[in-house]
């Protein structure tokens, strides 16, 4: 009987340590974000239109010439904040191209923009948006 209790205690300890080191732990640190386009965006005209959205989300640009944005905090919170800002700006650009000086200047209907994220060595796609409105809008 003592052996059964000892074995049960060992199993419980192993299971408990497995749960403690599972992916349920929060990831905190520095996160990098970048907008990628699947078409020729001469001089990053479209990509630069996302800058104010990232600033409003609390991100810092790594350098004036870089297209990478930085945010520090908890992974899920950072990703959600930047993803929401990206998607809102993409929809706004799609619906109001003339407001951004893009009407007729850049044919983006049907083109896709992607928000890439990086945490340490892990790179992942956070969101994508495909432009749907006519280019002359």
């Amino acid at each position: 009987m003592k052996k059964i209790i000892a074995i049960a205690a060992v199993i419980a300890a192993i299971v408990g340590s497995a749960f403690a080191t599972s992916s349920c732990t929060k990831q905190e640190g520095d996160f990098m974000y970048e907008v990628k386009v699947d078409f020729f965006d001469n001089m990053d005209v479209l990509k630069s239109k996302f800058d104010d959205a990232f600033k409003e989300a609390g991100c810092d640009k790594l350098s004036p010439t870089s297209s990478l944005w930085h945010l520090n905090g908890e992974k899920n919170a950072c990703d959600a904040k930047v993803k929401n800002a990206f998607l809102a700006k993409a929809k706004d650009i799609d619906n109001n191209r003339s407001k951004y000086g893009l009407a007729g200047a850049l044919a983006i209907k049907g083109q896709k923009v992607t928000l890439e994220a990086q945490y340490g060595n892990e790179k992942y796609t956070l969101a994508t948006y495909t432009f749907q409105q006519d280019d002359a809008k």
Side-chain angles (χ1 to χ4, degrees):
M1 186 67 165
K2 288 183 181 182
K3 285 185 179 181
I4 293 173
I5 293 173
I7 291 172
V10 169
I11 291 173
I14 291 172
V15 170
S17 69
F19 282 121
T21 60
S22 72
S23 63
C24 293
T25 59
K26 288 185 177 182
Q27 293 178 323
E28 292 189 19
D30 295 310
F31 298 90
M32 302 298 171
Y33 302 97
E34 183 176 20
V35 175
K36 302 271 184 153
V37 297
D38 65 349
F39 58 93
F40 182 67
D41 182 14
N42 190 22
M43 305 286 292
D44 293 334
V45 172
L46 179 63
K47 287 171 65 173
S48 67
K49 304 300 181 201
F50 287 88
D51 288 357
D52 61 337
F54 290 135
K55 286 178 189 172
E56 289 174 16
C59 295
D60 300 313
K61 198 167 193 176
L62 287 185
S63 76
T65 59
S66 174
S67 61
L68 288 173
W69 289 86
H70 164 264
L71 191 59
N72 183 281
E74 193 272 323
K75 182 181 189 294
N76 292 334
C78 290
D79 284 355
K81 189 183 297 187
V82 175
K83 178 181 177 179
N84 290 338
F86 168 79
L87 291 174
K89 180 56 80 172
K91 288 176 187 173
D92 188 41
I93 291 169
D94 198 10
N95 293 321
N96 301 295
R97 303 237 182 101
S98 60
K99 172 179 161 183
Y100 296 100
L102 296 173
L106 189 62
I108 58 176
K109 182 177 181 177
Q111 300 294 337
K112 182 173 69 172
V113 289
T114 304
L115 177 61
E116 298 286 330
Q118 182 174 350
Y119 174 68
N121 291 328
E122 176 190 5
K123 291 183 180 183
Y124 52 99
T125 299
L126 195 54
T128 60
Y129 185 86
T130 303
F131 293 99
Q132 301 169 8
Q133 302 298 323
D134 290 332
D135 292 318
K137 189 172 186 178

